[in-house]
Amino acid sequence: MKRFLLVLCCLGGAQAQFSAPPVGITVKEGAAPKLEVARTLAVQPAALALRLAPGHSAGMLTFSVLSPVNAEVRVRASDARLTPRQAGDERLILSANTLQSVTLLATAPHSGVLSFLNSEGQVVASAPYTVAAAKTVNQSLSLNYSPSSSRASMNYGISGVPQSPLDLRWNASVNLSVDTKTGQVGGGVGVNMSW
């Protein structure tokens, strides 16, 4: 027992150092994919559209492109108000059969056409696009008919779209109803505001 305590005391007072062998990772670059000349290109979705957010004068139009071959293409807009986020970003390197996301900066509401050119300068795809202004109002319309009560009704509503979190919220509605048996007309108007 004394020997065991003596060994423990000696071990406890000694400081051991351990060193692990250095670990390194070597990255070998694979061969870059061989690029072919694109002859076709799919642009998705079919209708490219962006509505600017309330209170914003610019926004990002995002869509996807798909090529059947590894290829380099360039995207060009018919209007300078739709541009790459940085100069030179109009060049796309596409991997075969892989959806690639593309984002362009829209600086104002407008419409135009995007053209996609292959490495020989030929247009291989085009897509119309629309950049719509921010909404200032929302509208709704509903029509109802109840055979059991013989009443037909129409309701129209309109509400403001706040341009900032500090804006007043408001909505208004008009309701019109008709008894189809008697021809009696009724209705009402409502206005609601919050802040």
Side-chain angles (χ1 to χ4, degrees), residues 50-54 56 108-110 130-136:
L50 164 69
R51 180 173 295 282
L52 298 178
H56 292 243
H110 70 284
T130 301
V131 178
K135 290 180 85 171
T136 56

Side-chain angles (χ1 to χ4, degrees), residues 151-190:
R151 286 197 91 62
S153 64
M154 179 190 75
N155 188 50
Y156 171 76
I158 185 169
S159 61
V161 176
Q163 302 300 301
S164 87
L166 306 176
D167 287 355
L168 173 78
R169 270 93 170 142
W170 63 269
N171 63 59
S173 62
V174 177
N175 180 275
L176 178 67
S177 64
V178 178
D179 187 320
T180 56
K181 287 184 180 176
T182 65
Q184 182 182 10
V185 177
V189 176

Side-chain angles (χ1 to χ4, degrees), residues 108-120:
H110 70 284
S111 294
V113 176
L114 285 176
S115 298
F116 297 86
L117 292 80
N118 65 15
S119 55
E120 295 178 347

Side-chain angles (χ1 to χ4, degrees), residues 36-123:
E36 300 178 39
V37 178
R39 299 294 177 202
T40 63
L41 188 71
V43 182
Q44 300 176 28
L48 302 182
L50 164 69
R51 180 173 295 282
L52 298 178
H56 292 243
S57 60
M60 304 304 265
L61 177 65
T62 301
F63 56 94
S64 297
V65 292
L66 179 67
S67 171
V69 296
N70 295 331
E72 176 184 329
V73 297
R74 292 186 183 276
V75 59
R76 300 257 167 84
S78 60
D79 192 300
R81 293 175 288 182
L82 186 67
T83 62
R85 291 179 289 177
Q86 295 177 347
D89 280 355
E90 70 277 356
R91 179 175 171 265
L92 305 172
I93 302 296
L94 305 176
S95 296
N97 301 314
T98 303
L99 277 176
Q100 180 163 328
S101 181
V102 180
T103 302
L104 300 175
L105 174 66
T107 57
H110 70 284
S111 294
V113 176
L114 285 176
S115 298
F116 297 86
L117 292 80
N118 65 15
S119 55
E120 295 178 347
Q122 301 165 329
V123 175

